[in-house]
Amino acid sequence: MKSLPLGKQTFKDLIEENYIYVDKTKDIYNLLLNNGTYYFLSRPRRFGKSLLVSTLKDIFLGHQDLFKDLWIHDKID
């Protein structure tokens, strides 16, 4: 059984250490396709802003091995 990621804030840590991760990569993909210039991410404290930015970082760095079981895996180069 996978553990809850208490205190973990990076996407890489969640995936490599086999923590529970709710796949929101379809939403991230739609956000990237939207062609917006600026995005304001207004969320309460401890609501996943750092994890979102970390996930975006790994997408843009091309770390496809981290996304192998997720929706976005075959959509990124």
Side-chain angles (χ1 to χ4, degrees), residues 40-59:
F40 178 67
L41 303 172
S42 174
R43 304 297 294 167
R45 289 181 60 228
R46 312 226 12 109
F47 224 85
K49 294 179 297 292
S50 297
L51 180 59
L52 172 64
V53 172
S54 174
T55 305
L56 287 170
K57 175 185 165 193
D58 286 323
I59 288 172

Side-chain angles (χ1 to χ4, degrees), residues 21-37:
Y21 176 75
V22 177
D23 186 9
K24 303 261 181 166
T25 57
K26 185 174 183 179
D27 298 323
I28 292 172
Y29 183 78
N30 290 332
L31 180 74
L32 295 174
L33 286 181
N34 196 6
N35 293 331
T37 324

Side-chain angles (χ1 to χ4, degrees), residues 11-12 15-16 25 29 55-77:
F11 178 74
K12 184 177 181 179
I15 299 302
E16 289 181 346
T25 57
Y29 183 78
T55 305
L56 287 170
K57 175 185 165 193
D58 286 323
I59 288 172
F60 286 117
L61 288 176
H63 297 154
Q64 286 186 331
D65 55 318
L66 296 175
F67 297 94
K68 73 175 182 161
D69 295 327
L70 302 177
W71 184 88
I72 202 167
H73 179 261
D74 59 345
K75 316 271 185 305
I76 56 175
D77 294 330

